[in-house]
């Protein structure tokens, strides 16, 4: 039987077992397409049904989250935690609070997380969680009551040696604080059970910056293979949250010009480039005022396009940093046609499968999220180490460790993704991430 048939048969089974979970199917298919030829050459993985096991979460938790809003009305949300794979260490992965959250989205994210965490070379298993709660438009008190209710169920399933959640879309420093406070109260224990904590109470320097900085370091490594750098490059970034903000900061530091940002309502185009003062404004707007990116356009007199994404703006390098499936086939084609030479995914699975084909056919430098945005979880891993040792490393120490991790991930992708002169970073990340998890699962028996 040919490898295509193997892939089809495997995917038929995944689709039948996980009916209607389209994002999960998409994430699994992208991995299986590049892994199946490798697995066919290494029968020990096939015999032990490693892929079948890796696509079945070790545990799925789904629970009711009741809370009372500022009007005294009862609200009900749904909470989730997917404990996907613990072969390498405690489950580790973020919590997402967004109205679109469902089982399919969290299973795709948890599945990707297993490979990503393995790529960091740190002892981290993979998981993901969250809720369909929308923090937008809620008061601080409402967010706190929600977080307390969410943790009142979650606390019994997590722990520093079991499962260590972090932030993701809609979960930043404020939410991690409320979640940590409630965990501590319920367990009567000050423990490194969450990462992304405040600096005063166990957080790591550089954790807020890590995903954006890491995805920029990945682009730097990719560009180096073409004897290029970010200096004087025009850069398009989507999103305006945590990842987008710190990608902008690092690109600026390295001499690039960031000309776009976006949110779920639309995009801004600033042809003169974002500078330190403008970035400060974005951080205040998004992290404190919790306003819309449209206000940037009004303040600095630049273009705002409602309902649009940045991919039609000419750029040399693109950093999708908002959400999944935000680059369609047409968007990818527009980027390539306008001269984009490098795409580093700060977001998880931001490019549709058809878009990925466009990038790969054009042979541009293209790093998938599981490699490019691994700096976030890697620095969470460093936060866990500091918590265990009860020490705090300096900003420079953490940044240097993060940079080395990204350099090593790039090297692993290159090693396993070599196709003649071209590096297929998707294949490289999938194989490099897989081998460590799969071998550990073999060592640990059928569990
Ligand atoms: P934030 O909540 O801080 O910011 C998310 C940004 O993306 C906001 O600008 C938001 O707009 C926009 N956005 C969210 N959903 C959509 C949507 N459906 N359509 C268009 N825009 C949208 O999240 P992060 O910056 O932390 O996360 C961004 C991406 O990076 C996600 O894919 C996440 O999984 C990934 N990631 C994050 C890591 C981290 O450490 N934080 C680690 C690794 C990956 P609005 O303000 O309108 O909501």
């Amino acid at each position: 039987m040919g490898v295509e048939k193997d892939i089809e048969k495997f995917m038929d089974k995944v689709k039948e077992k996980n009916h209607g979970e389209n994002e999960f199917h998409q994430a699994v298919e992208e991995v299986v397409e590049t892994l199946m030829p490798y697995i066919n050459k290494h029968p020990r993985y096939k015999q032990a049904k490693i892929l079948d096991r890796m696509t079945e979460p070790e545990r799925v938790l789904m629970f009711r989250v009741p809370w009372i809003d500022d009007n005294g009305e009862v609200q009900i949300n749904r909470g989730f935690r997917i404990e996907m794979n613990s072969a390498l260490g405690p489950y580790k992965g973020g919590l997402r609070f967004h109205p679109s959250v469902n089982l399919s989205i969290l299973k795709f994210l948890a599945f990707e997380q297993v490979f990503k965490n393995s790529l960091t070379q740190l002892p981290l298993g993979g998981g993901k969680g969250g809720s369909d709660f929308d923090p937008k438009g809620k008061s601080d008190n409402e967010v706190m009551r929600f977080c307390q209710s969410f943790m009142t169920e979650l606390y019994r399933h997590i722990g520093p040696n079991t499962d260590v959640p972090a932030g993701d879309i809609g979960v930043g420093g404020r939410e991690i604080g409320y979640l940590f406070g409630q965990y501590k109260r319920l367990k009567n224990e000050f423990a490194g059970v969450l990462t992304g904590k405040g600096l005063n109470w166990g957080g790591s320097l550089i954790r807020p910056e890590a995903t954006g900085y890491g995805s920029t370091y990945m682009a730097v490594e990719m560009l180096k293979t073409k004897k290029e750098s970010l200096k004087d490059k025009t850069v398009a970034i989507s999103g305006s949250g945590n990842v987008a903000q710190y990608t902008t900061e690092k690109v600026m530091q390295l001499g690039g010009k960031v000309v776009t940002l976006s949110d779920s309502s639309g995009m801004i185009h600033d042809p003169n480039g974002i500078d330190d003062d403008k970035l400060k404004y974005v951080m205040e707007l998004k992290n404190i005022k919790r306003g819309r990116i449209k206000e940037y356009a009004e303040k600095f007199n630049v273009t705002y396009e409602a309902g649009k994404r940045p991919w039609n703006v000419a750029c040399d390098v693109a950093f999708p940093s908002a959400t999944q499936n935000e680059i369609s086939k047409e968007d990818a084609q527009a980027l390539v046609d306008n001269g984009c030479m490098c795409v580093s995914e700060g977001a998880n699975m931001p490019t549709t499968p058809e878009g990925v084909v466009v990038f790969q056919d054009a042979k541009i430098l293209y790093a998938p999220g599981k490699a490019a945005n691994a700096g976030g979880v890697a620095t969470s891993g460093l936060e866990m180490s500091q918590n265990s040792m009860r020490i705090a490393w300096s900003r420079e120490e953490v940044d240097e460790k993060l940079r080395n991790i990204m350099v090593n991930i790039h090297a692993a992708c290159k090693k396993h993704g070599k196709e003649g002169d071209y590096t297929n970073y998707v294949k490289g990340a999938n194989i490099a991430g897989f081998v460590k998890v799969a071998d550990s699962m073999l060592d640990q028996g059928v569990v």
Side-chain angles (χ1 to χ4, degrees):
M1 192 161 59
V3 77
E4 270 80 29
K5 270 263 169 289
D6 286 343
I7 295 169
E8 198 183 314
K9 200 169 145 213
F10 186 83
M11 284 313 302
D12 282 348
K13 211 162 42 177
V14 169
K15 285 176 187 165
E16 194 187 318
K17 260 188 132 175
N18 304 279
H19 188 71
E21 296 177 3
N22 295 335
E23 292 84 359
F24 181 58
H25 304 164
Q26 184 184 334
V28 172
E29 189 152 15
E30 182 252 308
V31 165
V32 170
E33 272 174 357
T34 52
L35 272 185
M36 196 61 88
Y38 184 82
I39 288 175
N40 283 355
K41 279 195 214 132
H42 299 83
R44 64 181 187 280
Y45 299 132
K46 207 165 197 152
Q47 276 150 19
K49 299 218 167 130
I50 292 290
L51 259 189
D52 298 68
R53 283 154 66 185
M54 285 181 75
T55 47
E56 191 65 36
E58 287 178 17
R59 190 176 299 112
V60 173
L61 305 157
M62 205 162 131
F63 50 94
R64 178 170 69 205
V65 189
W67 57 283
I68 296 177
D69 69 18
D70 286 348
N71 297 322
E73 222 177 282
V74 175
Q75 301 286 343
I76 314 290
N77 285 101
R78 185 172 283 178
F80 301 87
R81 186 74 183 161
I82 317 295
E83 297 183 334
M84 198 74 189
N85 194 303
S86 62
L88 300 184
Y91 309 106
K92 180 90 199 96
L95 296 171
R96 176 176 292 192
F97 291 170
H98 193 272
S100 63
V101 161
N102 59 33
L103 199 56
S104 170
I105 289 183
L106 294 180
K107 278 172 70 179
F108 117 62
L109 289 163
F111 182 71
E112 293 258 298
Q113 194 81 45
V114 173
F115 292 82
K116 184 189 309 191
N117 293 4
S118 166
L119 280 173
T120 68
Q121 296 297 328
L122 298 173
L124 305 168
K128 199 84 189 186
S131 172
D132 57 0
F133 172 76
D134 187 359
K136 259 196 243 109
K138 304 288 190 304
S139 70
D140 283 352
N141 276 332
E142 287 178 322
V143 171
M144 181 174 75
R145 284 197 294 275
F146 172 80
C147 287
Q148 290 178 341
S149 181
F150 183 85
M151 187 52 87
T152 299
E153 174 56 36
L154 188 67
Y155 89 99
R156 64 187 97 243
H157 308 290
I158 61 176
N161 297 313
T162 310
D163 185 352
V164 185
D168 189 71
I169 292 178
V171 178
R174 173 182 62 170
E175 290 75 16
I176 293 291
Y178 295 150
L179 291 163
F180 184 78
Q182 185 70 353
Y183 178 87
K184 187 161 56 72
R185 192 171 167 207
L186 292 166
K187 289 284 282 195
N188 191 26
E189 192 175 279
F190 194 108
V193 71
L194 289 157
T195 57
K197 298 188 289 298
L199 282 180
N200 291 331
W201 40 279
S204 173
L205 285 159
I206 301 286
R207 176 60 190 93
E209 293 89 338
T211 308
Y213 279 19
S215 139
T216 312
Y217 294 149
M218 187 69 180
V220 168
E221 291 307 305
M222 288 196 287
L223 287 165
K224 264 193 210 160
T225 67
K226 303 274 175 213
K227 303 201 175 5
E228 288 278 0
S229 76
L230 277 170
K231 183 138 183 44
D232 297 327
K233 295 287 184 302
T234 300
V235 173
I237 297 179
S238 65
S240 48
N242 172 272
V243 179
Q245 291 169 16
Y246 288 105
T247 304
T248 304
E249 182 170 286
K250 187 49 81 180
V251 168
M252 273 164 33
Q253 285 171 8
L254 298 177
K257 182 165 82 166
V258 178
V259 295
T260 67
L261 287 174
S262 68
D263 62 18
S264 51
S265 313
M267 60 158 282
I268 58 109
H269 180 203
D270 185 347
N272 291 327
I274 296 171
D275 59 22
D276 288 344
D277 288 341
K278 290 174 179 172
L279 179 58
K280 211 167 137 211
Y281 173 83
V282 173
M283 288 183 170
E284 177 132 354
L285 175 72
K286 284 289 171 184
N287 309 345
I288 296 163
K289 270 183 67 192
R290 300 187 188 272
R292 311 304 300 154
I293 201 67
K294 185 177 182 202
E295 295 166 56
Y296 178 105
E298 287 155 7
K299 166 113 181 135
F300 298 111
N301 199 19
V302 301
T303 326
Y304 171 75
E305 289 192 69
K308 288 268 163 59
R309 295 165 181 153
W311 315 127
N312 281 301
V313 172
C315 66
D316 303 305
V317 184
F319 291 92
S321 308
T323 193
Q324 64 273 2
N325 291 329
E326 56 168 317
I327 299 186
S328 65
K329 181 181 176 187
E330 292 71 30
D331 295 329
Q333 196 59 54
L335 280 165
V336 169
D337 290 347
N338 284 327
C340 179
M341 65 168 89
C342 175
V343 177
S344 183
E345 293 186 340
N348 284 307
M349 207 168 74
T351 311
T352 60
E354 299 78 24
V356 174
V357 171
V358 172
F359 292 150
Q360 292 185 328
D361 283 352
K363 295 210 179 325
I364 67 165
L365 300 164
Y366 164 65
K370 64 170 78 70
N373 68 38
V377 73
T379 310
S380 278
L382 301 178
E383 182 172 330
M384 288 164 70
S385 304
Q386 293 170 82
N387 290 165
S388 299
M389 294 189 277
R390 302 208 187 282
I391 57 165
W393 291 321
S394 71
R395 208 181 149 78
E396 290 70 31
E397 274 174 291
V398 181
D399 196 23
E400 189 51 25
K401 288 184 203 302
L402 166 64
R403 226 175 49 77
N404 280 334
I405 289 169
M406 296 314 297
V407 168
N408 290 337
I409 291 176
H410 179 266
C413 291
K414 262 196 93 181
K415 179 176 161 201
H416 291 279
K418 203 169 152 42
E419 291 177 349
D421 288 345
Y422 177 65
T423 301
N424 181 339
Y425 287 88
V426 175
K427 179 173 149 193
N430 287 342
I431 295 177
F434 170 79
V435 170
K436 195 172 170 206
V437 178
D439 287 348
S440 304
M441 289 173 76
L442 289 179
D443 290 347
Q444 292 169 25
V446 181
V447 290

